[in-house]
Amino acid sequence: MEMIVSKQWLLARIYEPDLVIVDCRFDLADKEAGVAAYRESHIPGAVYLDLERDLSAPVSEHGGRHPLPDPQELADKLSKAGISNQSRVVAYDDQGGMYAARLWWLLGWLGHQDAAVLDEGFSAWASGGYPVTAETRIVVPGAFVPNIQQDRVADVNHIRQSLGNDRVLLVDSRALSRYKGEEEHLDAKAGHIPGAINRFWKDVLDDRGAWKAEPALREQFAPVIKALDDGRETIVYCGSGVSACPNVLALHRLGYTQVKLYTGSWSDWISYPENPVSTGEE
């Protein structure tokens, strides 16, 4: 299964028994909006997983705004959602794939590779005349056993040790204005991790909100690809470990599966007062 699937692909397979469709809609400004939207209308057969209740651990002093969930607790929630190690999973949202990509990344972290994100998301599905429903199906629990891929993860100590190391490339996935420290509406400090370059995650999408084709992604990520081809370790981060996931997915699509995610990201980095902060462009 491709990592990005079309509406037509999903429609043709929507009732296949090993396919689990997951609604990941969420709104940081209204944290009940995603589940409310799901209850009102969703793709037939879809189950709902919430960014903060299901796909993150509770917030604490460190770990960022969306800490990495406990792997066994996440595996139990996946099982209750009907996902087993043999399932094919298609996730969707209405925010350009950001939250769906979070589930895609978490599944990969737990050793499950057969997962994808629905191109263009729910609104495009509904406005395109594809089927929607308010009915929820009876979920038969799966049996999901995690096989943690620790090489996909970077923590704050890893980042500290990487500062000034020209064999490591940090990629900041936030909007350029936040990266440069010109504005910051979510976290207590503005700026970026020293040495990081900026690649805004929304630039993986075209003007219609669809994922760009591979040649366009290669052009966009040219300096990152060069670093990877040169054998440099590459670590992607964002504000809280969520919006970096589309960039990680894009690089996986291009064959660079060795990319790491700094799961706590900027909100974890600045929770340590001694960590340095840079502004402007690099």
Side-chain angles (χ1 to χ4, degrees):
M1 183 167 65
E2 296 292 328
M3 295 175 203
I4 302 296
V5 298
S6 68
K7 301 184 292 292
Q8 297 87 348
W9 185 98
L10 182 57
L11 181 65
R13 296 162 178 82
I14 194 168
Y15 296 115
E16 292 181 356
D18 68 325
L19 184 71
V20 181
I21 304 169
V22 183
D23 189 317
C24 296
R25 284 177 287 175
F26 190 80
D27 185 344
L28 288 171
D30 180 358
K31 297 183 180 183
E32 298 303 315
V35 68
Y38 168 78
R39 289 173 181 147
E40 180 180 323
S41 181
H42 53 263
I43 296 175
V47 296
Y48 183 78
L49 290 176
D50 185 273
L51 171 67
E52 296 192 346
R53 295 188 185 99
D54 302 314
L55 306 181
S56 305
V59 174
S60 59
E61 182 181 4
H62 302 299
R65 286 183 281 107
H66 296 108
L68 200 59
D70 176 83
Q72 189 56 57
E73 288 184 13
L74 177 58
D76 290 344
K77 289 178 178 180
L78 295 172
S79 297
K80 289 177 183 176
I83 299 171
S84 73
N85 296 90
Q86 288 73 46
S87 299
R88 293 176 297 158
V89 180
V90 174
Y92 69 87
D93 59 34
D94 233 352
Q95 290 80 16
M98 176 172 67
Y99 301 119
R102 165 77 165 200
L103 176 58
W104 168 86
W105 185 88
L106 287 169
L107 286 165
W109 172 57
L110 295 186
H112 187 87
Q113 306 304 325
D114 213 358
V117 169
L118 177 65
D119 199 9
E120 299 181 86
F122 180 77
S123 289
W125 173 277
S127 64
Y130 292 83
V132 297
T133 185
E135 295 180 5
T136 55
R137 67 178 176 89
I138 297 172
V139 176
V140 178
F144 192 98
V145 179
N147 178 21
I148 300 171
Q149 308 296 302
Q150 200 57 41
D151 61 350
R152 292 179 173 233
V153 175
D155 63 11
V156 65
N157 291 323
H158 193 125
I159 303 300
R160 285 170 175 159
Q161 293 163 10
S162 301
L163 295 182
N165 184 345
D166 61 7
R167 300 304 301 160
V168 179
L169 177 67
L170 298 175
V171 182
D172 187 311
S173 304
R174 298 171 301 159
L176 182 62
S177 59
R178 291 181 68 199
Y179 163 83
K180 292 169 70 174
E182 295 173 345
E183 63 173 356
E184 182 52 67
H185 52 279
L186 290 172
D187 294 308
K189 290 183 182 179
H192 61 266
I193 300 173
I197 67 168
N198 179 246
R199 284 297 179 273
F200 185 31
W201 76 268
K202 283 190 178 180
D203 290 338
V204 303
L205 307 174
D206 65 18
D207 294 340
R208 297 184 302 110
W211 280 72
K212 290 178 178 176
E214 290 190 11
L217 290 176
R218 286 191 176 277
E219 181 177 350
Q220 177 183 326
F221 286 100
V224 184
I225 290 171
K226 183 180 187 308
L228 287 160
D229 287 342
D230 289 343
R232 294 173 67 188
E233 180 182 31
T234 299
I235 304 168
V236 185
Y237 76 92
C238 57
S240 69
V242 176
S243 65
C245 293
N247 275 350
V248 176
L249 196 162
L251 290 163
H252 272 243
R253 287 182 72 201
L254 298 174
Y256 297 97
T257 59
Q258 70 270 43
V259 175
K260 290 181 170 67
L261 173 68
Y262 174 21
T263 52
S265 285
W266 179 248
S267 52
D268 176 58
W269 182 256
I270 62 171
S271 70
Y272 299 89
E274 67 273 21
N275 283 346
V277 168
S278 290
T279 56
E281 287 197 69
E282 299 200 34

